[in-house]
Amino acid sequence: MIVVKSPEEIEVMREGGGILRELLAIVKNEVRAGISTRLIDELVEEEVRRRGVIASFKGYHGYPASVCVSINDEVVHGIPGSRVVMEGDVVSIDLGVYYKGFHTDAAVTVGVGQVDDRSASLIEVTRGALEEGLKYVRAGNYVGDVSQAIQKYVESAGFAVVREYTGHGVGRALHEEPQVPNFEGEGRGPRLRRGMTLAIEPMVTAGDWRTKIANNAWTVHTADGSLSAHFEHSVAVTDGEPLVFA
Ligand code: MF3
Ligand code: CO
């Protein structure tokens, strides 16, 4: 069932999203060559605690950390640990915040120091794909209109969209209906209505779209080892432009 939020609920998600935005900005700033992914997680934990919010991912289906840090060929669900970030890495940071009964979920990808042209382009195209998708998030459109727009944008830049993982509704649960794929579907899927709250999250690769799961049973890699980037916003559908929470 797709849940439509009341204006009061949207307001709470806006506040929660504001906190998430701040946290992501702080973390983004700390991602540099030499930092371990565990330290990034510890930083998130500290900032989350200071603000009195809860990290949405920790314990979600047993996920062991507060943040996902996915590097290079890792698409999503990179588990923080001893790995150290290196110059030239493509690092995706994905974070969810639970505040007053509602989740918001967002991700950014950054290049560490000097990155090669292909990495920089992958990051820019993925960011652009999210912005392009948001142009179609509007009451009356179909979920598939958003999906199709993202795919078209990505493929015309020569990259590929991951198909095995999708965006989703977000709210009282981290993952609500509907799924929001990043491919195909123009004029299909559920109709967007005012008050729906969605996490739109293109995951893009510089090679093939197929993925595989690491031995830790979480981390998603590109099957061919190509680079991947990920951007995510949590938004509310309106009759005009979407309201971006984070
Ligand atoms: N943004 C991701 C998602 O929406 C993060 C989930 S990680 C998990 O699926 F650990 F919570 F599963
Ligand atoms: Co998400």
Side-chain angles (χ1 to χ4, degrees):
M1 199 187 55
I2 301 179
V3 194
V4 171
K5 277 74 175 181
S6 68
E8 293 73 22
E9 290 172 322
I10 300 271
E11 181 52 26
V12 173
M13 290 185 73
R14 206 180 58 77
E15 282 174 32
I19 296 168
L20 173 55
R21 239 184 238 250
E22 267 178 47
L23 294 177
L24 265 185
I26 291 170
V27 176
K28 209 175 137 181
N29 203 34
E30 294 298 326
V31 176
R32 59 173 68 98
I35 192 171
S36 73
T37 55
R38 179 177 291 117
L39 196 55
I40 295 173
D41 191 58
E42 285 170 4
L43 179 75
V44 168
E45 295 244 309
E46 187 185 316
E47 294 296 330
V48 155
R49 199 173 325 113
R50 256 164 30 102
R51 286 167 175 75
V53 295
I54 290 171
S56 298
F57 302 167
K58 192 149 194 179
Y60 184 83
H61 293 286
Y63 185 74
S66 293
V67 64
C68 300
V69 184
S70 307
I71 304 179
N72 297 336
D73 66 306
E74 296 172 350
V75 180
V76 286
H77 305 167
I79 300 177
S82 56
R83 183 167 183 175
V84 172
V85 170
M86 303 214 294
E87 173 89 10
D89 279 351
V90 173
V91 180
S92 304
I93 304 285
D94 189 353
L95 183 59
V97 155
Y98 185 65
Y99 170 79
K100 294 189 179 171
F102 292 88
H103 298 274
T104 48
D105 182 8
V108 292
T109 299
V110 294
V112 180
Q114 287 288 109
V115 298
D116 62 38
D117 289 351
R118 190 151 173 84
S119 302
S121 162
L122 174 69
I123 293 170
E124 270 325 295
V125 167
T126 310
R127 188 207 313 278
L130 175 54
E131 296 310 318
E132 182 67 14
L134 290 189
K135 292 182 188 166
Y136 294 81
V137 175
R138 180 180 294 259
N141 283 359
Y142 294 91
V143 166
D145 298 339
V146 180
S147 311
Q148 188 88 46
I150 290 171
Q151 181 181 24
K152 193 171 158 205
Y153 186 93
V154 168
E155 291 182 354
S156 45
F159 295 121
V161 289
V162 168
R163 299 172 180 231
E164 293 146 329
Y165 302 87
T166 69
H168 49 92
V170 62
R172 292 200 183 270
L174 177 62
H175 294 143
E176 297 183 345
E177 287 182 45
Q179 284 196 356
V180 185
N182 295 303
F183 65 100
E184 296 175 356
E186 189 174 343
R188 290 187 278 121
R191 216 45 186 281
L192 297 177
R193 288 174 54 200
R194 183 177 33 177
M196 283 184 188
T197 49
L198 305 171
I200 313 291
E201 50 178 321
M203 289 151 267
V204 176
T205 80
D208 191 87
W209 57 264
R210 290 172 184 82
T211 66
K212 60 180 187 210
I213 295 181
N215 288 335
N216 66 18
W218 273 104
T219 309
V220 177
H221 293 252
T222 56
D224 63 2
S226 61
L227 292 175
S228 180
H230 175 212
F231 281 84
E232 178 175 20
H233 280 319
S234 287
V235 306
V237 177
T238 76
D239 293 323
E241 286 182 10
L243 174 62
V244 178
F245 298 130

